[in-house]
Amino acid sequence: MSSHSHPLLDTRHAIETPEGALLPLTPAGFMVRCLAQLIDILIRGAITTIMFVLLSLLGKMGTGVALILAFLLEWFYPVFFEVTRNGRTPGKKWLGIRVVNDDGTPITFGPSLLRNLLRVVDFLPMLYLTGIITSLCNRQFKRLGDLAAGSMVVYDATTAQHTDFAVRGQLPVPADFSTDEQRALLAFAERSNYLSAERQAELAALLVPVIGAQDPVTRIKQMANSMVGKH
């Protein structure tokens, strides 16, 4: 049985979209997040080791380059994956969790960078003590980085099993889309099953100047698939 089948320590809650639809979210508990973090640490460690072994062959200059790359890997590995992979680092994807904004929309660069820069504070004074205490003191299991960035870590399955937009495939939501625009896309996809094809096309046509697609209905639904983690 997978580790996220019974999130016993989590508290499900729902985000209401502007059109009144409920987007259920189940915050991921402390232990599953620690396991995901451990997987990512092992991956970064393996990459760093390979870099040092190869670049050390170039002497001191190679070692210097390896140190710079190791620094960038440590701080921007999670940011890169969270922003480009719908909130999932390899560890989070393995365990079926992802980072989202508090309103359920995909995490963007600014909040992701902030939450990950504050990881160092969570390790104070030792052994991730601040992060443990903080995550156990709120219903969304947020650490300090999440509180500051307005983000949270949730289970994938809780959203995917409640949505069916009748379109397969994913498209990333443009990075310059505001939170309200992202929520509008999701609300349209959620209501689409109750609208005629003609009405869907009529409403989606209003967004053609924004999303630039000949088939805006399909494109919007594929973006919605990305937002809820559905393939």
Side-chain angles (χ1 to χ4, degrees):
M1 185 176 293
S2 66
S3 61
H4 57 277
S5 296
H6 298 284
L8 298 178
L9 298 180
D10 297 342
T11 304
R12 177 175 296 185
H13 68 287
I15 302 296
E16 185 174 355
T17 68
E19 304 242 352
L22 293 179
L23 176 63
L25 298 173
T26 301
F30 173 73
M31 289 305 300
V32 69
R33 294 178 63 172
C34 282
L35 290 174
Q37 177 82 317
L38 178 59
I39 292 172
D40 288 324
I41 289 174
L42 293 175
I43 292 173
R44 292 200 304 271
I47 295 174
T48 300
T49 300
I50 293 172
M51 284 193 310
F52 270 95
V53 170
L54 295 178
L55 291 174
S56 64
L57 300 177
L58 301 177
K60 292 183 177 179
M61 183 184 72
T63 301
V65 172
L67 287 171
I68 294 173
L69 293 177
F71 173 83
L72 295 175
L73 181 66
E74 175 64 26
W75 290 105
F76 291 98
Y77 165 98
V79 177
F80 170 80
F81 282 105
E82 287 175 5
V83 173
T84 64
R85 297 294 184 270
N86 197 27
R88 303 179 187 93
T89 61
K92 289 183 177 68
K93 183 176 181 179
W94 184 271
L95 292 173
I97 61 178
R98 62 191 173 105
V99 183
V100 296
N101 291 317
D102 281 345
D103 59 3
T105 56
I107 194 78
T108 52
F109 178 78
S112 177
L113 180 63
L114 178 58
R115 72 184 300 274
N116 284 292
L117 288 178
L118 289 177
R119 275 188 297 140
V120 65
V121 180
D122 290 318
F123 280 95
L124 298 175
M126 61 180 180
L127 300 177
Y128 208 71
L129 185 59
T130 298
I132 293 173
I133 294 174
T134 304
S135 65
L136 294 178
C137 289
N138 62 87
R139 291 172 61 85
Q140 287 77 43
F141 305 102
K142 294 185 175 188
R143 58 180 181 82
L144 286 177
D146 290 315
L147 292 172
S151 61
M152 60 180 167
V153 181
V154 299
Y155 285 95
D156 275 335
T158 55
T159 56
Q161 68 187 11
H162 287 83
T163 53
D164 184 4
F165 304 142
V167 168
R168 296 186 62 82
Q170 293 185 352
L171 280 177
V173 179
D176 59 348
F177 267 36
S178 68
T179 297
D180 287 340
E181 288 171 331
Q182 293 179 43
R183 295 180 71 183
L185 290 179
L186 186 58
F188 172 86
E190 289 172 337
R191 293 192 60 195
S192 63
N193 290 337
Y194 305 100
L195 301 174
S196 66
E198 293 76 12
R199 182 57 174 162
Q200 289 184 49
E202 179 183 353
L203 293 174
L206 299 175
L207 295 176
V208 168
V210 180
I211 63 177
Q214 294 182 348
D215 187 359
V217 172
T218 298
R219 190 174 181 87
I220 290 172
K221 291 182 179 182
Q222 288 176 333
M223 288 182 183
N225 282 341
S226 177
M227 294 170 69
V228 302
K230 189 176 180 65
H231 299 284

